[in-house]
Amino acid sequence: MVQHSRFVFLAAPMPESKDGDEGEGILWMLVSPNNRPLGRGTTYHATYGACRQSVLDLQANYERAKPVETTVDLTGQWTWRIDLDGEPVAVSSRSYLRARECTYNLERFLEAVPSAQVIAGTRSVRRGRRRASVAEPPPGRELRNAG
């Protein structure tokens, strides 16, 4: 059986809002066949259905996606993001010491998007556990909340 990259959905605590509330939202992550994170969505969604639809929209409009590579001012490390119609829709799951590492990992993400499987259901991620870091924005980035 051939393994494929896949979109998984994470139910995770959202960053605190301005009024101090910390709710839970759904965020997608694209993982490689060997479970290595390739990238993730920029937006927390209120429902699994809305988050799943954002993945389907990315796959359907893949040809219009614009990759952007940049450095984090604080660390000088490299990150990437994907913009669709001027809005960021995906970001790197981590930062990179070298531009070529960033470019390589961006290319792996872009190769995987069109044919990646969309997995049903969500996985719960809690802060304080090691895996919770996948829901944290990379340094210098903030995630948007969406309904």
Side-chain angles (χ1 to χ4, degrees):
M1 180 172 129
V2 175
Q3 293 274 339
H4 296 282
S5 294
R6 61 205 178 285
F7 287 97
V8 295
F9 300 90
L10 308 172
M14 295 187 295
E16 277 190 37
S17 66
K18 293 178 181 110
D19 57 7
D21 290 342
E22 186 179 300
E24 193 167 86
I26 310 296
L27 186 69
W28 62 260
M29 181 171 56
L30 179 59
V31 297
S32 69
N34 67 353
N35 293 320
R36 185 175 59 88
L38 298 174
R40 60 181 169 68
T42 57
T43 304
Y44 284 91
H45 297 272
T47 66
Y48 163 77
C51 193
R52 183 179 185 278
Q53 188 59 52
S54 72
V55 166
L56 298 176
D57 291 344
L58 174 60
Q59 287 182 312
N61 298 295
Y62 169 77
E63 294 81 23
R64 294 195 340 258
K66 304 285 186 232
V68 178
E69 295 178 63
T70 187
T71 57
V72 178
D73 291 336
L74 186 60
T75 64
Q77 293 190 343
W78 289 85
T79 62
W80 58 259
R81 76 172 189 269
I82 303 294
D83 291 347
L84 188 59
D85 300 328
E87 291 293 321
V89 294
V91 293
S92 54
S93 340
R94 56 174 289 237
S95 57
Y96 305 93
L97 293 174
R98 295 174 183 83
R100 71 175 180 256
E101 294 170 334
C102 184
T103 300
Y104 174 84
N105 285 282
L106 170 59
E107 290 169 355
R108 300 297 76 76
F109 177 87
L110 291 171
E111 288 171 356
V113 167
S115 60
Q117 296 173 340
V118 179
I119 302 302
T122 62
R123 299 177 184 180
S124 184
V125 177
R126 300 281 176 238
R127 288 207 197 291
R129 292 177 53 198
R130 188 168 186 264
R131 291 194 56 200
S133 64
V134 298
E136 297 291 327
R141 300 239 189 264
E142 291 190 17
L143 298 180
R144 300 182 327 252
N145 294 331

